[in-house]
Each structure stands twice: as structure tokens, then as C-alpha cells.
Amino acid sequence: MNESKHFLPFTQPSLDEATIAAVVEVLRSGWLTSGAKVQAFETALSALLGQRIVKVMNSGTAALRMALRLANIGEGDQVITTPLSWVATSNVILEAGAKVAFVDVDFASRNIDLALIEPALTPQTRAIMPVDLAGLPVDRNRLYEIARQNHLRVIEDAAQSMGAVWQQQRIGAIGDFVAFSFHANKNLTTGEGGALVLPPDIDPALCEQLRLQGVKRGRDGVMDVAVLGYKSNMTDIAAAIGLGQLQQLDLITARRRLLAHRYFEQIRPEWGLQLPPPDNGQSNWHMFQVLLPLGINRARFIEKMRSQGIGLGVHYPAIHLFSLYRTIGYARGDFPIAEDIAERIVTLPLFPAMTDADVDRVCQAIETCLVTFNSK
Ligand SMILES: *Cc1c(COP(=O)(O)O)cnc(C)c1O
């Protein structure tokens, strides 16, 4: 009966014609890699984020890895983070040679439970890496209070937070290291890409060197390599997409917010779904995620929704239960709240080009699918 309706994916980027034209212009220009567009994108991001220093990279992962390197975190150090995130969050800590110390999440916000950080501290703890899951900001006041009192650095995994705000200030305009992702599914995309906001004690020139093989150019143009760097620079093609997306950022965020409001209106309490915290103007509504009632088989629910023409996502499986993390000692039962959420969470379709009718269609399908479960 739904064959005539288009398939609704859980997300889809919004690129306007001006952005597409700007990319074509870069393609015709003869300069594809890091150049004028990268510079312009960094300047525009800096203007957006209270004139802080911003360095763009080829992924959010690269930005996180760079932050750890610039903070001098590696072998023998420990970083506290959440097990309910994309695996990049903790992979970069392992890759830096440091120990990942997960602590459980708060059930309502689904973000790291800040009350569990101090009990988890050891003499090796050097940093906290919080994640704003779905674009809902972690309490920055408490976070930075804990960091200050315990002499810890903060590396904000703000991969999902572009356009989110904390007390009237954009995420990225305040804080220590702040890493964004511009992956295709993120609110602001460059296809693949990322950015790192640098704190004042970090030398931006060192960040630039590390971003491209450690290469340093003297004023005479002579090149030297004194440190081992990465290959993390962004292309002008990607930066052109980013510049176009920045023009749309506030529109994109506003549209996402309205769609989230519609979900809150349309989802009926009797369906037994656990909703995200209500909108308080801070989240950028990167995702709208609900927990299925206990006893509903998620894989079958997702399959049924798919047969109704609706794509759902799972963000995310608990990181500590992946094989790699089990081999370093984590096990089922370590973080019960994260595990419960990870097993029941689904991401509903939410992207700027969706209509209100699309939201209603998702909600009708949810009702239909949950009713068929209950009638068995
Ligand atoms: C997307 C994402 C990353 C990684 O960003 P990439 O650009 O894919 O490297 C890291 N952490 C979180 C929470 C993310 O959502």
C-alpha cells in the first residue's frame, strides 16, 4: 500500500544550488587541495565561533586525534569518556597509546554522567572527552568545574554539535579543545571533514605542521620536518561545500528544531517510547532518537518500518562491547545504562528537507508497527 510513497531515509544532506556551483568553480579552478577555500572556511568558522582559532581537517576523527597530540596525551595517560558514542571517540584515545576509561551515561540525556567522573579519576587521568549525543550539549558549567578542580584538559567531541548552544553561546565558542565533524550525516557537511577549535595555550603553527606531515616552511621558503605529522588537511573542494553549508546553518538548525517539535506532538504516550529531553533551545537536533519499549525486538521493528518505506538508524551500539574493547578488559554489565539505551535506541528520520507530513507518516508507521507487535 505504500509503494507509491518514496523511501524516507533517516538522514540526508541539504546542499543548495549555490554550494553545488561553488564546488564546480573549484573543480574548474585548477586548485583542488588545501588553498584559498580552506583559508576562507577557517576564517568563517572562526567568525562564527567568537573569533577563536579554528583549523579544518579531513575528518572529525583527525581533529580529535590532533587534540590529543597537541595536549601531549599518550602512553601512560588515561582519558575519561562515554561508551555511548560513535567508536571514533575512543578509538583515537587508543590510537594515541592512552587508556580509555569509560564511565556510564545519564539515562535522560544519554550523555556522560558527570557525577561519575570524579570517582573514576586516577593519577594517570589527563583529560575528559565528552560527547554531545544527538547534538544535546553536556552541561558545560559542571564539566569545566570538574576539569578545573582536577587539573584535567577537556577535549570536546562536538562532532554532532555544530549549531548547538550552551547558555546563549555556540558550542565551539567556549571551552578547551573542541572537535567538530563534517561527515555527510552531520548537520553541517563537507562530504568528509572536521575542524578543531584551539585553546589559547596551543600554538596554531604546530597544529598546521602536524596536519601535513610535520612540514614547516621557513620565511625563506626552505622546508624542514622536525616532528612526525599526520596527513589530515582538507581539500578546497570540501571547504567550498563547507562555506555553502555555513550560509544555511541557522536555517538548517531551525528546520530541524521544528521537525523535532512535531515529533513531540505526534508521538503518543501510550506507545511507551522513551523520548529525548524536551527542547530547551540548546540542542541542534542532530538526531531524534527514541528508546523502544522493553520486549520489542529492535531488528524486527526496524525491518517492519523499512517495509513501510521508512529508514531508521541505530546510534550507537555500546562501544565497550565491541570485540576490540572486550580484549582490553571491558565486559557486558560494566555500564548498564549505556547498554540498556544501546539495545533499545532507534534514530527516526530527521533532516531539513523533510515535511511535517513526513513526520506524521513516520509516527503512523510507528503506531502500526508497535500494534502488530502487541497483537502477537
Ligand atoms: C561523526 C563522529 C565522529 C567522527 O567524525 P568523522 O568525521 O566521521 O571522523 C566522532 N565522534 C562522534 C560522536 C561522531 O558522531
Side-chain angles (χ1 to χ4, degrees):
M1 78 190 178
N2 286 304
E3 285 83 7
S4 61
K5 286 185 183 169
H6 65 285
F7 183 79
L8 191 65
F10 73 82
T11 193
Q12 190 176 282
S14 299
L15 299 166
D16 62 11
E17 288 306 318
T19 305
I20 293 167
V23 171
V24 171
E25 192 189 305
V26 171
L27 296 179
R28 294 194 200 283
S29 74
W31 189 275
L32 304 186
T33 187
S34 311
K37 295 288 177 189
V38 162
Q39 288 250 316
F41 188 32
E42 285 182 342
T43 303
L45 283 168
S46 176
L48 182 78
L49 303 175
Q51 298 301 334
R52 291 191 68 189
I53 293 174
V54 183
K55 295 293 160 200
V56 296
M57 289 170 219
N58 54 15
S59 70
T61 306
L64 288 168
R65 181 69 189 86
M66 179 69 80
L68 287 164
R69 176 76 176 268
L70 292 169
N72 244 320
I73 291 171
E75 208 84 33
D77 298 327
Q78 192 184 66
V79 180
I80 294 182
T81 191
T82 167
L84 193 65
S85 181
W86 174 230
V87 70
T89 304
S90 52
N91 274 359
V92 292
I93 301 170
L94 292 184
E95 214 277 323
K99 183 172 186 289
V100 177
F102 290 122
V103 300
D104 210 346
V105 300
D106 167 68
F107 184 72
S109 70
R110 303 158 187 171
N111 283 331
I112 192 166
D113 185 343
L114 294 172
L116 299 177
I117 291 178
E118 282 180 323
L121 295 177
T122 71
Q124 286 72 45
T125 310
R126 294 277 319 282
I128 311 169
M129 195 186 282
V131 175
D132 304 317
L133 190 70
L136 178 69
V138 168
D139 180 336
R140 294 299 195 271
N141 298 352
R142 265 187 86 194
L143 172 70
Y144 280 97
E145 188 52 31
I146 294 166
R148 237 187 325 272
Q149 286 186 349
N150 297 285
H151 310 286
L152 302 173
R153 292 225 74 136
V154 176
I155 297 170
E156 298 184 20
D157 181 343
Q160 304 183 3
S161 321
M162 183 53 79
V165 296
W166 176 255
Q167 293 179 342
Q168 273 64 261
Q169 289 193 284
R170 285 183 192 271
I171 295 301
I174 47 168
D176 195 358
F177 291 96
V178 184
F180 291 105
S181 166
F182 306 135
H183 175 268
N185 286 354
K186 301 297 185 341
N187 285 24
L188 186 156
T189 186
T190 60
E192 297 280 3
L196 181 63
V197 183
L198 298 178
D201 65 313
I202 297 295
D203 178 11
L206 176 62
C207 180
E208 283 176 19
Q209 286 163 33
L210 291 173
R211 181 169 64 177
L212 191 65
Q213 311 291 2
V215 169
K216 181 181 189 172
R217 282 184 196 278
R219 239 183 288 166
D220 49 7
V222 176
M223 181 181 120
D224 187 29
V225 176
V227 289
L228 179 60
Y230 309 109
K231 168 62 187 177
S232 300
N233 60 301
M234 176 180 273
T235 66
D236 264 18
I237 306 168
I241 303 173
L243 281 163
Q245 288 270 282
L246 264 182
Q247 299 288 320
Q248 291 180 269
L249 178 63
D250 288 342
L251 272 174
I252 284 172
T253 309
R255 182 63 197 147
R256 286 178 168 276
R257 171 160 281 108
L258 286 179
L259 291 166
H261 289 179
R262 187 141 190 116
Y263 272 122
F264 280 114
E265 282 165 24
Q266 298 292 315
I267 294 173
R268 306 258 63 88
E270 56 271 24
W271 301 344
L273 301 174
Q274 180 75 33
L275 302 185
D279 185 40
N280 62 5
Q282 295 186 334
S283 177
N284 63 8
W285 294 101
H286 171 57
M287 295 188 279
F288 194 95
Q289 299 175 291
V290 299
L291 307 192
L292 296 177
L294 285 167
I296 297 288
N297 179 308
R298 180 173 61 187
R300 281 181 46 222
F301 180 79
I302 290 173
E303 201 39 57
K304 284 185 187 192
M305 289 289 284
R306 174 162 280 274
S307 73
Q308 304 268 320
I310 291 162
L312 301 181
V314 173
H315 306 94
Y316 296 91
I319 298 174
H320 67 286
L321 299 180
F322 288 134
S323 309
L324 173 65
Y325 288 83
R326 288 176 188 263
T327 63
I328 60 172
Y330 285 108
R332 182 167 294 279
D334 286 348
F335 310 108
I337 300 171
E339 289 169 24
D340 175 39
I341 294 171
E343 278 164 20
R344 296 198 282 137
I345 202 162
V346 292
T347 304
L348 305 183
L350 181 72
F351 53 89
M354 267 174 73
T355 63
D356 290 0
D358 287 328
V359 172
D360 299 354
R361 185 181 143 205
V362 173
C363 293
Q364 280 151 19
I366 291 172
E367 184 169 33
T368 306
C369 293
L370 287 174
V371 165
T372 45
F373 263 106
N374 287 337
S375 63
K376 282 191 179 168

